[in-house]
Amino acid sequence: MAKIVTVGEIMMRLQPSGYKRFMQADSFDIVFGGGEANVAVSLAQFGEDVAFVTKLPRNAIADKCVKELKGWGVDVSKIVRGGDRMGIYFCEKGCSQRGSNVIYDRAGSAIANIGENDLDISAVLDGAEWLHWTGITPAISDAMAEVTEKILIEAKRRNITVSCDLNYRKKLWSREKANAVMSKLVKYVDVLISNEEDCKDVFSIEAENTDINSGVISQKGYEGIGKRLMGKFPNIKYVAFTLRESVSASCNGWSAMLIDGKNVYKSKKYTIDIVDRVGGGDSFGAGLIYGLKNKLGEQNAIEFAVAASCIKHTVEGDFNIASVDEVNKLAGGDGSGRVQR
């Protein structure tokens, strides 16, 4: 059975070609994506044995989605089929000073209406060493929040390492509800992934001397957030922060920090000319999981995660199509972008 399990919703992504705006579109390109599915695909490219768990309807669109995941090496045997529809999101890619725009059409999706007996949680976690989820999953519906909690309880009973990306989505739930639900669920988490904005939205914890809109980032401020999170949730072994310096929608400074309660590990910083930033945080999470699971050491793990995510920002679609060798080459210092012959 799969050694890594990710649980969440995958959606059909519809986007105008290139950098067209919604109002200019006369057709839409189709890809698939969603936080935990993106992590699963990335890990599969790294050679990991990974399964993605969700609920999808029985129709040809969902069949295409499952085929896509399977084609990238993800174990799809744990996907439950049923319900009326899969979620959709529309994505208008930003450029320069115009930010990207996302419109959700996911109400009433199969996973939002999941029943308590739809998932055999014991079977889902059979043989697993690592479980990954995001704050998007319990935000989908109250039913999915309850299922998430049951999965986490069983994962901890089995001593499975649990990672979570806070991933606050204001279009799915309020800050008050996110705080109430995530405060219950994060107590089962070993590795917490976040950024300053999500910590502020979910737990009302801010970094001092940091302004994400102007790109001013204080390392000491993030260290302070990490200490407060680990004080609030003593089960957490690692807190990781992605540090995005937004020059524009097309150009970002990109780095990260990993905190273990005693030490702080800071990655190198990349300046990225962005092709598609959707899935950037998920690719970081996958890289961090790979680094920690394979005991690369904390510094190497954070360098691997940031380099993997740097590559993802240059790849169209939600999925990060990058190998371990590619990531290691970039992490090792080769970011020239020269043609490989």
Side-chain angles (χ1 to χ4, degrees), residues 9-15 29-42 68-69 72 89-91 93 102 104 136 169 275-284 286 308-309 311-313 315-322:
E9 181 171 29
I10 187 167
M11 294 175 287
M12 181 168 63
R13 168 178 166 179
L14 300 176
Q15 64 183 37
D29 297 328
I30 297 174
V31 294
F32 296 97
E36 297 86 354
N38 299 344
V39 170
V41 170
S42 288
E68 181 98 356
L69 289 167
W72 289 116
Y89 82 97
F90 297 84
C91 181
K93 289 199 300 181
V102 169
Y104 290 118
I136 300 170
R169 295 292 184 267
V275 172
D276 192 339
R277 67 165 283 181
V278 176
D282 303 321
S283 59
F284 171 83
S309 188
I311 292 172
K312 165 61 196 79
H313 283 75
V315 178
E316 288 271 11
D318 276 54
F319 300 156
N320 189 24
I321 313 305

Side-chain angles (χ1 to χ4, degrees), residues 222-236:
Y222 279 90
E223 289 178 31
I225 296 179
K227 289 177 181 178
R228 290 180 65 183
L229 285 170
M230 296 179 104
K232 182 179 178 68
F233 302 103
N235 48 285
I236 294 176

Side-chain angles (χ1 to χ4, degrees), residues 102-130:
V102 169
I103 298 173
Y104 290 118
D105 177 18
R106 64 199 301 180
S109 66
I111 196 169
N113 293 321
I114 196 165
E116 63 175 305
N117 297 319
D118 281 348
L119 281 183
D120 182 341
I121 294 174
S122 180
V124 163
L125 296 176
D126 185 29
E129 297 176 359
W130 197 294

Side-chain angles (χ1 to χ4, degrees), residues 125-184:
L125 296 176
D126 185 29
E129 297 176 359
W130 197 294
L131 171 70
H132 179 75
W133 61 288
T134 78
I136 300 170
T137 298
I140 295 168
S141 67
D142 291 343
M144 195 58 216
E146 291 175 9
V147 169
T148 302
E149 184 173 23
K150 290 178 181 178
I151 293 172
L152 292 172
I153 290 170
E154 180 61 18
K156 296 319 295 180
R157 191 185 71 79
R158 298 181 182 216
N159 293 317
I160 296 170
T161 300
V162 175
S163 58
C164 171
D165 190 331
L166 277 182
N167 266 355
Y168 175 72
R169 295 292 184 267
K170 64 182 179 182
K171 294 183 179 181
L172 295 182
W173 58 359
S174 68
R175 290 177 176 85
E176 292 75 19
K177 187 164 185 180
N179 179 282
V181 174
M182 294 300 285
S183 292
K184 287 197 307 179

Side-chain angles (χ1 to χ4, degrees), residues 29-60:
D29 297 328
I30 297 174
V31 294
F32 296 97
E36 297 86 354
N38 299 344
V39 170
V41 170
S42 288
L43 286 167
Q45 306 322 295
F46 299 153
E48 293 293 327
D49 182 5
V50 57
F52 173 60
V53 179
T54 193
K55 183 178 180 181
L56 290 171
R58 296 183 183 277
N59 61 38

Side-chain angles (χ1 to χ4, degrees), residues 202-213:
V202 178
F203 296 124
S204 300
I205 301 174
E206 295 185 63
E208 296 180 359
N209 303 314
T210 291
D211 184 346
I212 59 173
N213 292 316

